Amino acid sequence: MEPKTTERHTRRTLINFLPDNKNLTLLISGMAITNLTFQFFSFSLPIIIYNFANSVFAMSVMRAIQFIPNILLGLFIGVIVDRSSRRKLLRNSAIVQLFSIVIIIFLIITNSLSVWFLYIIGFFLYSASYAMGNAYHAIIPNIVKKEMLTSANAKISFLNTFSNIIGPSLAGILFAYTNEVINLSVTMTGFLILIFLLSLMKLNNEEDSPKERNKSNKSFKNDFTEGYKELFYNKPLWSLTLNILITNIASSLTGAVLIFYALSNIGISKSQLGIVVAGTAIGGLCSALIAKKLKLYRGKLFVFGIFFMFISQVILYFSFNWISMFVAMFIVGISSTQINIHYLSLRQESTPNHLLGRVAGTSSMIMKMAVPVSYLLAGILGELLPIRYIFLLSAGVIILALLRSIQKRIHLIS
């Protein structure tokens, strides 16, 4: 009888993980496949830049460009999300990214690609990617009950993190036997699948669009202001947004130099580097599995999350082999995923849906506004100082966020 009991438990666990809402299943499946295949692009991009420029600074510039659309277009895209059919916006964003990948493949094949072309194409690709993420975040509360948002976000985070674990490995294996064009073709296929699955979704107006989008003829300026006010007067969300801004600065400083430090200073092998990089994803995977089970107030979760991010930077500073680096990145994965899941859920629960695109755009812009500068700063400091001191600088920045969290005494209802 025991094997049957275990089998029934496993089946129930799997059924509980998969949403019983057809539209939600199609949406999550399509986005999960796209996130997985996008890892093939993310793996290939640094290699392409290395082949053309062989420069750490060129890679840092590309990393900065990844976040620039967030800052320049975040508010504008937020308004578009709140004025549009979110399913169509998801589809159109996928189409833009699809054509961006096609153009890169064409330029590689014809030997016409340059780093500057990559910067320009990358800007459009990451702009569309940001619009897709905003629309995805905004449409979830329309097709998921409020009390299930944390669970839904945990599942989405689990799938994204799982993609982050196996995606680079699969991309590396494929690249070893083929080339970057084949890897980019996998990413292109992922966007085609997403576009197809989105076409199968049958949403009514209430599920597809903000309830009040047709009730207002306000100007873009008024829409911007309305979204900012909604975020600013939501004190818990506003305070957490500023805290995440501070921790993002620290994470960017670390992320810009981590791989270079591991290879040049620690001298780990490429296989060990893969394990270190996977540490964040493995920690995030574990964190997503326990997100709903933690019996702590959200305010305490954020404080603990920031504290453990500080610990991870201290470990990196004292790292002397790949094992200690893996432990540090594992802690980063656990803490950052907890913060992200509960922040997204809080934003979805506490924001009127017709304002969610603008609030998401505004908060995301604020949280990431210093990231490009941090990447560039890390690249400059890495040329002037021993790289391990950048980890110490990151730890100091995180202390500011930790002290601010304790001072504000943020206590959110779980």
Side-chain angles (χ1 to χ4, degrees):
M1 292 299 292
E2 186 174 336
K4 292 183 179 180
T5 303
T6 304
E7 183 181 350
R8 284 197 299 271
H9 174 72
T10 303
R11 191 183 300 118
R12 283 198 303 270
T13 302
L14 181 60
I15 291 173
N16 289 336
F17 182 83
L18 295 173
D20 56 3
N21 182 315
K22 179 182 177 182
N23 288 323
L24 185 60
T25 301
L26 290 170
L27 179 62
I28 290 180
S29 300
M31 292 297 292
I33 292 171
T34 301
N35 288 331
L36 174 62
T37 56
F38 196 79
Q39 299 298 319
F40 287 73
F41 168 78
S42 299
F43 178 90
S44 302
L45 185 60
I47 297 173
I48 295 172
I49 294 176
Y50 178 83
N51 290 336
F52 280 93
N54 192 19
S55 167
V56 175
F57 183 76
M59 292 185 184
S60 296
V61 171
M62 194 67 208
R63 289 287 289 170
I65 288 174
Q66 181 177 348
F67 293 94
I68 287 176
N70 235 332
I71 299 170
L72 296 182
L73 304 176
L75 292 175
F76 177 79
I77 290 174
V79 173
I80 295 298
V81 169
D82 284 343
R83 290 187 172 197
S84 308
S85 159
R86 288 163 177 173
R87 184 184 67 85
K88 290 181 180 179
L89 187 56
L90 282 166
R91 181 198 62 194
N92 293 339
S93 298
I95 291 173
V96 171
Q97 293 178 84
L98 171 64
F99 277 104
S100 297
I101 298 296
V102 170
I103 292 172
I104 294 175
I105 292 175
F106 174 78
L107 292 175
I108 292 175
I109 293 175
T110 58
N111 293 318
S112 304
L113 187 65
S114 71
V115 174
W116 287 104
F117 274 139
L118 271 178
Y119 290 162
I120 295 171
I121 298 170
F123 176 79
F124 285 101
L125 187 149
Y126 287 120
S127 297
S129 178
Y130 173 71
M132 174 184 288
N134 192 319
Y136 186 30
H137 171 74
I139 200 174
I140 290 294
N142 288 357
I143 52 182
V144 177
K145 295 179 180 179
K146 184 176 181 179
E147 61 271 17
M148 296 299 296
L149 283 174
T150 299
S151 177
N153 284 318
K155 292 171 183 176
I156 291 170
S157 179
F158 177 91
L159 291 172
N160 290 343
T161 307
F162 183 73
S163 298
N164 292 338
I165 293 176
I166 67 170
S169 300
L170 295 176
I173 293 171
L174 183 62
F175 182 80
Y177 294 97
T178 57
N179 53 46
E180 61 267 25
V181 171
I182 301 300
N183 271 25
L184 295 180
S185 299
V186 173
T187 304
M188 183 179 66
T189 303
F191 284 119
L192 288 171
I193 293 173
L194 173 61
I195 293 168
F196 172 72
L197 292 179
L198 289 173
S199 70
L200 298 179
M201 293 178 63
K202 304 297 181 183
L203 301 175
N204 55 44
N205 290 334
E206 184 176 325
E207 293 173 321
D208 189 24
S209 309
K211 294 180 181 179
E212 301 183 20
R213 75 176 175 117
N214 294 321
K215 296 181 181 180
S216 173
N217 294 315
K218 296 178 182 178
S219 66
F220 267 69
K221 181 180 179 181
N222 288 335
D223 278 344
F224 291 151
T225 303
E226 192 175 14
Y228 173 78
K229 287 182 177 178
E230 178 65 28
L231 173 62
F232 181 76
Y233 288 115
N234 186 337
K235 294 303 180 182
L237 190 64
W238 172 251
S239 186
L240 292 174
T241 299
L242 296 181
N243 277 351
I244 294 176
L245 165 64
I246 298 172
T247 57
N248 279 345
I249 293 173
S251 298
S252 301
L253 290 171
T254 297
V257 300
L258 179 69
I259 293 178
F260 188 84
Y261 175 77
L263 294 174
S264 64
N265 292 60
I266 303 297
I268 67 178
S269 66
K270 292 183 179 179
S271 59
Q272 292 170 340
L273 177 62
I275 297 174
V276 169
V277 173
T280 306
I282 296 172
L285 196 67
C286 296
S287 186
L289 289 172
I290 64 174
K292 187 63 178 177
K293 298 177 182 179
L294 290 177
K295 303 300 182 182
L296 289 174
Y297 289 113
R298 278 183 177 155
K300 291 183 179 179
L301 280 171
F302 285 115
V303 171
F304 284 131
I306 294 172
F307 173 74
F308 282 110
M309 289 187 71
F310 165 75
I311 295 297
S312 70
Q313 301 307 302
V314 174
I315 295 175
L316 284 174
Y317 176 76
F318 289 105
S319 289
F320 55 91
N321 59 26
W322 70 270
I323 297 176
S324 55
M325 293 192 73
F326 171 82
V327 171
M329 300 314 295
F330 180 81
I331 295 173
V332 168
I334 288 180
S335 56
S336 61
T337 300
Q338 281 299 315
I339 291 172
N340 186 55
I341 289 173
H342 287 281
Y343 178 84
L344 290 178
S345 299
L346 174 67
R347 191 167 65 185
Q348 290 169 335
E349 292 168 3
S350 62
T351 304
N353 191 258
H354 70 284
L355 296 171
L356 189 52
R358 280 164 283 175
V359 170
T362 305
S363 59
S364 183
M365 180 197 72
I366 292 172
M367 289 188 294
K368 296 178 180 178
M369 63 191 308
V371 170
V373 177
S374 298
Y375 275 120
L376 296 176
L377 178 62
I380 295 172
L381 291 177
E383 300 290 338
L384 301 175
L385 300 171
I387 294 179
R388 69 168 59 245
Y389 287 111
I390 296 178
F391 302 139
L392 202 60
L393 176 61
S394 297
V397 173
I398 293 173
I399 286 178
L400 296 178
L402 182 61
L403 293 176
R404 188 179 181 280
S405 296
I406 296 173
Q407 181 185 18
K408 294 292 183 180
R409 291 186 177 90
I410 304 168
H411 295 290
L412 306 174
I413 298 175
S414 61

